[in-house]
Amino acid sequence: SCECRVAEQLCCRALFAEPCTRSRHEQLPCSRLPTSAKCGWCAAAVAGLQVDLAGMERRLFRPLYVESWFTADIKLGALALNLEPPKCFAAECYALDLGVRDVPDDQKVNLGACLLRTALSSWAHEFSRLHMSGAPLPGLDDPAADQLPHFSDQLPPAVVSASASGVAWRLNANAFTGHERESEDVPPWVCEAVLRGLLPFVKELKSAFVLLPAEGSGLPSLLQSRLNAPRILQVMKVANYCATKLAELGVPLCTHEVGLTPDTQQPPANGKQYLELTCNGLAVPYSMSLATIKKFLWKRSDDVVFHYRTLDPARLAPFPTFQSPEP
């Protein structure tokens, strides 16, 4: 299979479905910069400074699991991401998790396709104008496309690939003219993804989990306690499902979002009863995905088991401690 490489001093956070958090005036690679915090890795890289990789890894760490979809190297003197089908289309996330507004809560973004489209957007639009009568491009001309991560014009990535005859080529993302030939210069699988929004079939990765009443909780068992769901599903939806099924059994419990810090465990003081979910005896952050829970809380290969009970503000479940990687 033909390989496509994107070389860039790329924002490390953008690789893991997390919005870049730098200010726009820094003129760094990713221009999706909504908050005030800054990414030290990117600032140091662009300034040409040496970076303590282990220290930066610990500083940027947060518990998050993303399916492997690229390999990386620095053979070109800068960070290069190597994409090969179909593996590069194996990772998805919800559009809402990328900060995209006004979309259905189940709308997904394929990370590999997103990277290809933003790296080759100049070529795709020029190619469409010259050869496709300016037809709209799926994923590039959608209403929410400008909310997705993209590279800045000041520091475009270099795209490296090979023609069908095996001749290697390299172009900056803003240097494409649209005359680069489909399937001859640009690999067919890349053309399908960027021009037509067609991706190779990749079996959706799912995770099985079990919902059981906590011992001594007095709550009933659910009629269907073992379920399968996409691995990227957030636990908040698991909690809402559990609350809905308990309500059908005559046990009305509310849900409230538990974040990544212990102070979010306490529910609103409104006299209502709330649901509490635990895994391995620990409180579950509802913003985590099933894959992340399995990686950082369950830590086993079998089905994840959640226990549910009525939340007691005076006896909250212990909150998990997430350790950053060791040097």
Side-chain angles (χ1 to χ4, degrees):
S1 61
C2 187
E3 178 182 78
C4 185
R5 294 163 63 88
V6 179
E8 167 75 76
Q9 287 175 320
L10 187 69
C11 174
C12 49
R13 296 190 177 193
L15 303 183
F16 299 98
E18 180 180 356
C20 183
T21 55
R22 300 158 302 181
S23 60
R24 191 176 294 273
H25 71 270
E26 289 182 88
Q27 297 185 356
L28 298 179
C30 176
S31 61
R32 185 171 178 273
L33 315 170
T35 64
S36 59
K38 298 180 181 179
C39 175
W41 169 286
C42 305
V46 173
L49 304 177
Q50 291 186 342
V51 177
D52 174 9
L53 295 180
M56 191 58 66
E57 186 177 14
R58 291 193 299 272
R59 177 179 167 188
L60 296 177
F61 171 79
R62 74 180 181 98
L64 176 67
Y65 179 83
V66 178
E67 194 67 31
S68 176
W69 58 280
F70 64 89
T71 59
D73 64 60
I74 54 172
K75 295 176 183 177
L76 301 179
L79 177 63
L81 307 185
N82 308 305
L83 306 183
E84 292 191 55
K87 180 182 178 180
C88 65
F89 301 112
E92 293 181 320
C93 67
Y94 288 110
L96 290 175
D97 293 339
L98 284 175
V100 180
R101 302 177 301 276
D102 303 321
V103 294
D105 61 3
D106 60 350
Q107 181 169 321
K108 299 173 185 175
V109 174
N110 187 285
L111 301 185
C114 183
L115 178 60
L116 285 172
R117 287 167 185 155
T118 188
L120 293 167
S121 61
S122 177
W123 170 74
H125 282 117
E126 284 301 305
F127 187 92
S128 175
R129 183 180 65 83
L130 294 172
H131 305 289
M132 300 169 61
S133 303
L137 301 171
L140 281 172
D141 296 326
D142 296 343
D146 61 346
Q147 299 183 53
L148 293 172
H150 56 278
F151 297 101
S152 92
D153 296 330
Q154 288 83 12
L155 251 164
V159 180
V160 182
S161 190
S163 67
S165 58
V167 178
W169 56 263
R170 178 186 184 277
L171 277 176
N172 281 352
N174 59 358
F176 286 94
T177 64
H179 292 287
E180 296 79 14
R181 295 164 295 176
E182 179 182 2
S183 298
E184 175 60 31
D185 296 318
V186 182
W189 62 273
V190 175
C191 297
E192 291 294 286
V194 175
L195 297 177
R196 300 175 185 88
L198 300 177
L199 308 182
F201 173 76
V202 179
K203 184 178 180 180
E204 184 178 37
L205 296 176
K206 294 197 173 185
S207 182
F209 62 95
V210 180
L211 284 165
L212 298 175
E215 185 177 353
S217 67
L219 296 180
S221 298
L222 303 184
L223 297 179
Q224 183 177 359
S225 60
R226 187 180 186 275
L227 301 128
N228 279 284
R231 297 182 70 180
I232 64 172
L233 186 77
Q234 284 193 341
V235 177
M236 186 71 210
K237 293 192 175 183
V238 177
N240 288 336
Y241 171 86
C242 184
T244 298
K245 295 304 176 182
L246 286 173
E248 293 174 1
L249 296 173
V251 184
L253 293 176
C254 301
T255 59
H256 80 291
E257 188 162 354
V258 179
L260 292 173
T261 55
D263 59 291
T264 59
Q265 282 185 272
Q266 286 286 354
N270 53 17
K272 296 181 179 179
Q273 288 190 312
Y274 284 83
L275 176 75
E276 183 178 47
L277 280 186
T278 63
C279 178
N280 259 348
L282 300 172
V284 178
Y286 286 3
S287 59
M288 283 186 167
S289 67
L290 292 175
T292 301
I293 291 294
K294 189 160 191 171
K295 170 76 173 179
F296 291 97
L297 290 185
W298 187 240
K299 300 179 181 179
R300 289 159 50 181
S301 60
D302 55 346
D303 296 351
V304 175
V305 176
F306 294 105
H307 287 97
Y308 55 87
R309 64 184 183 185
T310 303
L311 187 147
D312 181 352
R315 297 177 58 192
L316 296 173
F319 200 81
T321 300
F322 301 106
Q323 299 292 332
S324 60
E326 292 298 324

